[in-house]
Amino acid sequence: MLAQLHRVEQSLNQVILGKPEQVRLALCCLLAEGHLLLEDLPGMGKTTLAHALANSLGLSYRRVQFTNDLLPGDLIGMNIYDTRSQQFHFQAGPVFSQVLLADEINRASPKTQSALLEAMEEKQVSVDGETRSLPKPFFVIATQNPLFHAGTSALPESQLDRFMFRLSLGFPDKQAEHLLLQCDSSSSRLELLTEQLSSEQLKQLQAQVPKITASDALLDYLLSLVHASRHRSDMLPLSPRASKAILRAAKAFALINQREFVSASDVQQVFPYVAEHRLDPSSAAQESRLSQLLLQQTPCPI
Amino acid sequence: MLERKPLLLLWSGIQLSLLLLLNQAFALWVSAVFAVLMLYRLLTVFKARRAVSLGLVNILAGVIALAFFLQIKQSGVLHFMLQILLLAATARLLALQHLYEARQLVWVHYFLIASCFILHQDMFVAVIVLSVLFANLYSHYRLFSVATAKINWLQTGRAALIILPLWLGMFLLFPRLPPFWQIPNTKAATTGLSDSLDPGSIEQLVQDDSPAFRVEFTSALPAREQLYWRARLYEDFDGRSWQVNTSRQYQRGNQITASNELSVSANLTDYSIIAEASHQRGLFALATPVSSSDNVFIAPGGMLSSHKPVSQRVSYQVSSVLAPVVATSAEEQLNLRLAPGNPQTKAFATRLKQQYPDTDKLVQALASYYSQQPFFYSLTPPRLGSNSIDAFLFDSRTGFCSHYASATAVILRQAGIAARVVGGYQGGIWYPEQGYLAVRQREAHAWVEYLHQGAWHRFDPTAFVAPERILNNLDSMLPEQERALLNSGWRQFKLLQTLRQQFMHLDYYWSVWVLGFNDNEQRELWRSIRRHLHLLGYTLLLISVIAVAALALYLARARHDKTLPAAAKLLYQHLAPLLSTKQPQQPVSVFLQGCMAKYPQYSPLLSDIKSLYDKALYQNDASALAQLKVELKQHRRQLRRLHRAIKNA
């Protein structure tokens, strides 16, 4: 199964050129059952990544373009009165898919944002008092434009916290971009992507993540990192949810790297992507100043 | 498991050494039987043949045991028991097949090893017995260990260090219980002076360098002319040889009191003696012993005697008055008895008596007779005929102390003066640094005591023939070729002699401190502990304060260490120089990965270490931790080279 996962990774790399690290982290986030926040300038391939992920994993994929007039119902769905049967029946919104691309999430009103975030956390939605569970796996890739862009309302800290990873694809290097230009269009490449891993297999892989060993020594190190963020004025403290997320992410990272245990280096590698947006919500995704500071200042004796 | 050759070899070796150690208790044929059995066992080990069948061994052992039993009269019960025990061990080894049998064997070996101390007490043998014990312990350990287990010598040493205080404490404080059972007396060849003195007997002793006894003086060392160690009173003369009157010598007599004219307390000479095993009861004392420790008693005639034949080294304390022994009325009659023969001597004595009716004068005259006439002192006197005293006094005039003593006593008795020959030792070697006097068998001597004014006065004719014999030692006054006789063989090597002397001193301390530590000494120790109880209290307080501080320090360190998991601790222990170049925030595995690129020739080793470390640290894999330990230890040298490279870089 891991082999298939790696084939997924390879095919993704053929679509998202020159970004193997981000691709791997995105997969990692998927395995850890977290949600991914992509922050980039428009046209950097955020949508392509989401789409490619959905395609190669054989997951149902929906995309919602968030605007400031998008209502929660547009996202979740609503009960509609059917005149023929004279009954209300539920019209599922785009949230009922396995991969949801929430494009430009910071353009939507806080109300809609929070509706999505609730769905992300609970993996279920309630409409008119009726609870409906979302499909499994449920993976949200949200993109946001940098905050200084016009017409954006920033995600509050509490909601940023619900994204396990925040990534930035960034500009491709020259060589990759050259290759990109050589090909006709990325969309044609996208269509080439076939299903490499069934959703069942993905679920199994996700189930393996918690079983990855994390020794006491490793947990001690992780906690020393997290604790270093607390009682400081220059950053927001990392919550227990954050430490859980770090551990989960590190476990998934270890699984992708075909190891049965989490190492300190796993923690160090995922830490900036998991922690930075929690330490400083206003920071840009490209930078990871505070998390790097923590990594530098926390000794790792093991 | 019993096909294991080394164990069988070890046991055979242990049994052979036991045979050598216990050899003294066995008749020649018994030793031969054991030797044959053991050599046969060795042969089967080397030829890898199977053990002898149990039935055959049983029959064989039965027959041998019966033979042992038949000669129990000659060997004595104790030796018989030792023989049976060794036979059991030997036979068991011959037919050894099962593990439980091997365990029995090991336990019987322990018993046999301990029983070696019945026969030997000197330090040299103690060292040998200790090594045999260790061999047996090792075999015991091997019986219960897995095949691959190796003895960790460092750990063993540490264990020994830990047990040392306990061991010393047991030695010092464990009550010296009286034996639970009587050890039957052994019959063994006696050494030292015997109960019969004939002209040749001392000659043999003089060639013997082995120690007879050692003396430590609590009071001042007496002058050399006073060092006449009385051991035997020869009172019965048959015309040729002198016999001890055994009915008197070894009977507990009335307490000897020193002659009244001496103020007793002022002139006491206190000393303690460590006597070697002689298998005789007679012991040694200076002049008139007035009191002694409980393990010996003072027999009539001022002789010290042990309650039983001295079969083990014995230590006793004596206080002597350096004055003639007071005589009893019975003694005078006893020592006036004459033996037939020796007419010339008789005539000479009568003449002397007529000339000097006074005893003092007569003895003086006799002394000047010896010094003026051409008498010679020699270890190799000519053989004397039937009237040996006549032949010696008027013909050969060459002889040894026993000749002179014997002749003198006969002359005095013929002249109507009660006289007897005293056997003992004269002088000794004084070691001022060690503070003791060593008396060897070669210091054996014989002299005369005559009765005068109610006391036995010493008269040593040898002192007039060869005064140097008394003042110096034997070597200095012998002619050249006879000195060569004494100094033949290994004695001519200076180094060997020095070594021997050093060993003798060691042996002395062993006797004083280890063998001499009896219940008296122990009681004394307890008493002194009680006396210094308050001091002890402070010491204990101090020790406990130090111990508490040390414990606190240890716990603090342990807590500090607890933050580091075992695998990391291990790595920091062995790779400290390398890891000191690690940046603090860098994980060890990442750092090692970097090192592999930096030091390519060590990369296989570092890679091994890294993977084991990862397993041990991140997966809590105990076997990986153990393996890591082994790996680090095995490649210690390589790691040292790596560290040197780092230092040079």
Side-chain angles (χ1 to χ4, degrees), chain A residues 138-191:
Chain A
F138 176 65
F139 182 48
V140 175
I141 303 177
T143 70
Q144 66 173 346
N145 293 329
L147 295 176
F148 52 85
H149 277 219
T152 59
S153 55
L155 285 170
E157 295 91 338
S158 63
Q159 293 178 4
L160 266 180
D161 196 31
R162 297 208 157 77
F163 286 99
M164 185 179 263
F165 277 63
R166 185 179 71 165
L167 286 179
S168 161
L169 285 172
F171 293 110
D173 60 16
K174 208 172 171 185
Q175 201 184 356
E177 202 168 351
H178 189 267
L179 201 64
L180 186 78
L181 294 178
Q182 267 184 345
C183 309
D184 321 282
S185 69
S186 60
S187 58
S188 64
R189 282 167 155 272
L190 256 180
E191 278 143 26

Side-chain angles (χ1 to χ4, degrees), chain B residues 481-509:
Chain B
Q481 75 270 23
E482 293 199 6
R483 208 177 305 163
L485 180 78
L486 275 185
N487 294 332
S488 61
W490 58 267
R491 291 188 187 91
Q492 52 196 301
F493 296 107
K494 202 116 198 148
L495 179 73
L496 273 180
Q497 236 165 353
T498 321
L499 271 179
R500 187 186 153 84
Q501 220 168 64
Q502 290 308 321
F503 188 77
M504 209 171 72
H505 294 325
L506 261 183
D507 198 38
Y508 168 72
Y509 290 127

Side-chain angles (χ1 to χ4, degrees), chain A residues 213 215 217 260-265 268 295-296 298-302, chain B residues 564-565 568 572 582 584-588 590 613-614 617-620:
Chain A
T213 319
S215 68
E260 289 163 0
F261 57 87
V262 187
S263 73
S265 123
Q268 291 191 343
L295 284 175
Q296 289 297 320
T298 310
C300 176
I302 56 167
Chain B
L564 265 190
Y572 278 95
K582 176 179 96 72
Q585 75 277 14
Q586 202 172 19
V588 172
V590 176
Y613 174 75
D614 282 351
L617 181 76
Y618 293 122
Q619 292 187 286
N620 302 320

Side-chain angles (χ1 to χ4, degrees), chain A residues 34 47 63 69 96 99 126 134 137 158 205 227 231 235 250 287:
Chain A
T47 318
R63 174 182 171 169
D69 55 356
F96 286 89
V99 176
S126 320
L134 296 175
S158 63
L205 276 174
H227 279 256
H231 321 295
M235 56 181 80
E287 59 179 48

Side-chain angles (χ1 to χ4, degrees), chain B residues 83-125:
Chain B
Q83 285 165 6
I84 289 294
L85 211 55
L86 188 60
L87 178 66
T90 319
R92 176 45 90 211
L93 186 59
L94 268 180
L96 197 62
Q97 251 156 4
H98 301 291
L99 185 66
Y100 71 90
E101 294 173 342
R103 287 177 194 167
Q104 289 169 355
L105 180 71
V106 170
W107 284 109
V108 172
H109 280 172
Y110 283 128
F111 204 88
L112 277 166
I113 289 167
S115 64
C116 290
F117 284 117
I118 297 175
L119 300 175
H120 305 275
Q121 289 86 38
D122 54 298
M123 197 184 61
F124 181 59
V125 176

